[in-house]
Amino acid sequence: MDYSIKIGGEAGQGIQTIGHVLAKVLTRGGSHVFVNQDYESRIRGGHNIYQLRFSDRRILSPSKKVDIIVAFDKASIEEHGDELTENGMVLYDSETLGKKYNNPLFLDVPMQALAVEKGGNKVMMNTAAAGAVLGMLGHEFSILEAIIKSSFSKKGSGIIEGNINAGKSGYEYTRGKCHKCNFSISPVKSKKMMLMNGNEALALGALAAGCKFASAYPMTPATGVITYLAGKAGDFDLVVEQAEDEIAAINMAIGASYAGVRALTATSGGGFCLMTEGLSLAGMTETPLVIVLAQRPGPATGLPTRTEQAELLFALNAGHGEFPRVIMSPGTAEEAFYSIQKAFNIAEKYQTTVIVMSDQHLADSYWSIESLDPRRIKVDRAMINDDEITDDYKRHKITDSGVSPRAIPGQAGKAVVVTDSDEHDEDGHIIEDSSTRNAMVEKRMRKLKGISSGILKPELYGKNDPELLLIGWGSTYGALKEAVDTLNSHGKHISMLHFMELWPFPEGIAETVRSAKKSFTVENNNTGQLRRLIRMETGVECSGSITKYDGRPLTPEDIIKEVENADN
């Protein structure tokens, strides 16, 4: 079983609501679910889609082929009709769409009329639509009924009853009318799974890591991290601050971290531009900091609600001067949850900045997840205890590891914590002499050796001694893995190498890349930034790049097509 449903319509028509309800129903029914969204940067109008894929096996990426299109606008049919599978169906309401389609693959369901007649209000059309889809699939209705009762528990019995009736009317209508619906759905299972997007996973991971301060200026697609944390602030003794701009946001986070709490800021590329001076301040003062950088297409405002991976080299080189940093790039919601916990540990252990790179595809996509263990990565604050503080405490003491003892201002009444944005000595006071400058630069950069020892090697998956090695990072993970499986099932000999931690650059990559006859990087950018980074760090030139930069995520079909074209 492997089906995709695409819900299309204008902003304001509630397509996200319908899609999310269906995703919940299918997840609670025991199906593995993957959801991706494509929406325009407007509050009303335009053409948006919510695509839901579900299967009896774990899935991590969208599919180009669609089995059911739920059309709330004509564009859903005109732009996506050719994506239907051989037995696919289009569900629509001719009255609201203003057009009747005389095609056996089109199912006209009076969803608005049913909502008014059975539910008492046309706003319940979305519930009728969700019921209609479940009827087409032959899925159990009781799960939708339970979700309606839970979701509208504070709205009163009238609203609950109306929505149940509207949903049931859509369900029964398609069950009786869709004679061509021949979907084979796995039996409902009682298996419990969570439905979570990338932003929620990052925020939940930050809470598990003990984050106590978060600041940001809202910027798509990073905003969801902060709004999730704000919703949990009262339960976790957390301060969440919406700053007046990104400059203030990063400086607030640096101040909170300097005062002793785990701090986070989140932004996208345009906001990260403004943060770069603060990034260097954290580098000079050796203040731990975690930044979520959720990429979107640029330059300038670009496509503010679409996806891209064009800021890898920007993150690597941002800020003035030389100072250590760490770059991570989770590829799934589960990886996002665990990687940000590790990010906080590294930031505090090495008193440095960790940039966790996301993008719109990772941020807004949903995965069904069986379990997350908040205790898998233990919290390591890496600060000195009161009894370790001496009268001659030096905040920037030169050590073999490059890591100085970190105390909190005022700790135990002994520690005089001094630092400065100018170059400084071990005590934290401003200096001008060359010998101290050399010593402090070398001290800070020595941290890279320790950090490197804990950097994960990229995941190698697929055939041994491959003819082709596909190399990716971040949110391309799911599409790459499925493409490799599909190509190998067709007789190819392919592997993938996927980076979740990119800087400091992992060791041993040159040998892995050279072991394949050919190697392609697979990226959502134009210039092949990972390919350039591999060449810069190893001297190895990959054979080519598979790139996509139209603001849409890579799919397994995109990768397979490019691989097959390269063979011809």
Side-chain angles (χ1 to χ4, degrees):
M1 182 188 76
D2 192 337
Y3 295 116
S4 288
I5 302 168
K6 180 168 283 187
I7 306 165
E10 297 179 0
Q13 288 187 306
I15 65 170
Q16 188 179 58
T17 301
I18 302 166
H20 203 57
V21 166
L22 288 171
K24 283 183 177 181
V25 170
L26 292 162
T27 300
R28 292 187 189 182
S31 293
H32 294 272
V33 171
F34 179 84
V35 169
N36 67 292
Q37 303 180 63
D38 188 300
Y39 53 95
E40 295 186 2
S41 55
R42 57 173 73 183
I43 298 171
R44 296 281 177 181
H47 174 63
N48 303 325
I49 62 168
Y50 186 105
Q51 185 160 328
L52 162 65
R53 184 181 176 193
F54 64 102
S55 177
D56 53 6
R57 62 182 177 84
R58 190 173 183 231
I59 47 174
L60 302 171
S61 68
S63 171
K64 276 190 176 294
K65 286 298 180 181
V66 183
D67 298 282
I68 297 176
I69 294 176
V70 184
F72 282 89
D73 62 0
K74 293 176 183 176
S76 299
I77 297 167
E78 294 165 357
E79 295 184 20
H80 308 295
D82 61 351
E83 298 171 11
L84 276 177
T85 57
E86 184 179 352
N87 297 313
M89 299 287 296
V90 177
L91 173 68
Y92 76 109
D93 184 339
S94 61
E95 184 179 345
T96 59
L97 215 58
K99 185 175 181 178
K100 181 80 173 179
Y101 292 88
N102 296 313
N103 186 316
L105 299 181
F106 282 64
L107 181 62
D108 184 7
V109 180
M111 292 177 281
Q112 182 169 288
L114 290 172
V116 173
E117 179 186 351
K118 302 296 184 179
N121 196 319
K122 67 178 183 180
V123 300
M124 297 179 185
M125 178 180 176
N126 292 341
T127 310
V133 173
L134 294 178
M136 294 175 73
L137 295 172
H139 198 281
E140 189 175 303
F141 181 78
S142 62
I143 301 176
L144 175 59
E145 186 173 346
I147 288 172
I148 291 171
K149 289 178 180 178
S150 174
S151 300
F152 296 108
S153 61
K154 297 181 180 179
K155 298 286 187 179
S157 59
I159 298 295
I160 293 172
E161 185 178 348
N163 275 280
I164 290 173
N165 290 338
K168 191 170 291 183
S169 68
Y171 182 84
E172 292 173 348
Y173 190 94
T174 54
R175 290 285 284 170
K177 295 283 187 180
C178 192
H179 304 301
K180 290 187 176 292
C181 291
N182 58 354
F183 302 103
S184 178
I185 303 297
S186 299
V188 170
K189 304 171 187 174
S190 60
K191 188 177 186 179
K192 290 187 177 181
M193 289 189 286
M194 298 175 285
L195 189 66
M196 185 179 298
N197 70 20
N199 274 342
E200 292 168 348
L202 286 168
L204 197 60
L207 291 173
C211 178
K212 294 299 179 184
F213 183 87
S215 55
Y217 182 80
M219 190 172 189
T220 303
T223 308
V225 175
I226 299 300
T227 54
Y228 187 94
L229 289 173
K232 303 294 183 184
D235 298 325
F236 288 89
D237 194 24
L238 169 71
V239 175
V240 179
E241 183 70 24
Q242 179 176 320
E244 62 267 31
D245 56 36
E246 289 85 356
I247 299 171
I250 192 170
N251 285 321
M252 286 178 179
I254 292 170
S257 180
Y258 175 76
V261 300
R262 288 194 155 182
L264 164 77
T265 187
T267 188
S268 189
F272 189 65
C273 286
L274 295 173
M275 289 184 175
T276 54
E277 186 176 16
L279 179 66
S280 290
L281 173 63
M284 176 59 86
T285 59
E286 300 180 80
T287 305
L289 182 63
V290 175
I291 302 174
V292 173
L293 172 54
Q295 304 162 96
R296 68 191 206 187
T301 312
L303 294 175
T305 59
R306 300 298 205 274
T307 198
E308 197 159 274
Q309 293 181 305
E311 291 163 17
L312 172 57
L313 298 182
F314 177 32
L316 178 59
N317 295 290
H320 51 290
E322 296 176 314
F323 53 95
R325 72 193 70 194
V326 179
I327 298 176
M328 297 179 167
S329 61
T332 67
E334 287 160 295
E335 287 185 355
F337 177 77
Y338 294 117
S339 65
I340 200 164
Q341 292 179 63
K342 183 177 178 180
F344 276 104
N345 282 350
I346 292 174
E348 290 201 317
K349 182 176 182 179
Y350 294 100
Q351 300 166 25
T352 191
T353 295
V354 182
I355 302 169
V356 181
M357 298 193 72
S358 170
D359 53 42
Q360 184 271 331
H361 184 49
L362 180 73
D364 290 338
S365 293
Y366 285 84
W367 288 258
S368 55
I369 300 171
E370 294 187 17
S371 66
L372 293 172
D373 182 1
R375 295 164 296 184
R376 192 174 98 179
I377 297 179
K378 298 187 182 301
V379 174
D380 180 10
R381 295 302 313 272
M383 293 186 292
I384 60 174
N385 299 319
D386 290 352
D387 57 6
E388 297 176 296
I389 300 173
T390 60
D391 291 334
D392 63 344
Y393 171 78
K394 300 179 186 296
R395 171 62 188 92
H396 297 284
K397 182 179 180 180
I398 294 174
T399 63
D400 291 340
S401 66
V403 179
S404 305
R406 179 176 173 235
I408 302 307
Q411 185 177 352
K414 294 182 180 179
V416 179
V417 180
V418 179
T419 191
D420 204 283
S421 63
D422 286 64
E423 189 59 275
H424 42 253
D425 58 19
E426 291 180 286
D427 289 308
H429 297 299
I430 298 172
I431 58 89
E432 293 283 350
D433 65 284
S434 59
S435 61
T436 305
R437 164 64 176 178
N438 285 341
M440 295 307 292
V441 170
E442 291 161 5
K443 178 198 102 69
R444 291 191 290 266
M445 298 308 288
R446 276 200 297 274
K447 297 177 187 180
L448 285 171
K449 184 177 180 181
I451 296 171
S452 295
S453 66
I455 290 294
L456 285 178
K457 289 189 175 182
E459 179 182 344
L460 185 60
Y461 174 83
K463 300 288 187 179
N464 295 324
D465 301 318
E467 294 180 359
L468 174 62
L469 181 66
L470 299 174
I471 311 171
W473 61 285
S475 67
T476 62
Y477 179 82
L480 265 173
K481 196 167 188 178
E482 185 168 331
V484 168
D485 286 340
T486 302
L487 287 164
N488 285 338
S489 70
H490 294 165
K492 299 288 186 181
H493 207 77
I494 296 177
S495 291
M496 83 173 203
L497 187 68
H498 192 271
F499 288 79
M500 191 178 76
E501 298 179 5
L502 288 147
W503 194 262
F505 196 74
E507 297 179 357
I509 304 305
E511 293 78 8
T512 304
V513 177
R514 288 194 183 105
S515 69
K517 293 180 180 178
K518 290 192 296 185
S519 56
F520 290 168
T521 54
V522 182
E523 309 180 61
N524 268 122
N525 59 56
N526 175 263
T527 58
Q529 294 191 18
L530 178 58
R531 179 182 177 179
R532 293 160 64 189
L533 180 60
I534 291 171
R535 181 176 63 229
M536 180 173 70
E537 290 301 307
T538 68
V540 175
E541 179 65 77
C542 293
S543 311
S545 293
I546 296 173
T547 60
K548 187 175 183 179
Y549 39 89
D550 61 356
R552 278 70 180 175
L554 279 153
T555 66
E557 293 91 338
D558 290 327
I559 299 168
I560 291 167
K561 181 180 178 181
E562 291 297 324
V563 170
E564 290 176 342
N565 287 342
D567 286 342
N568 296 330

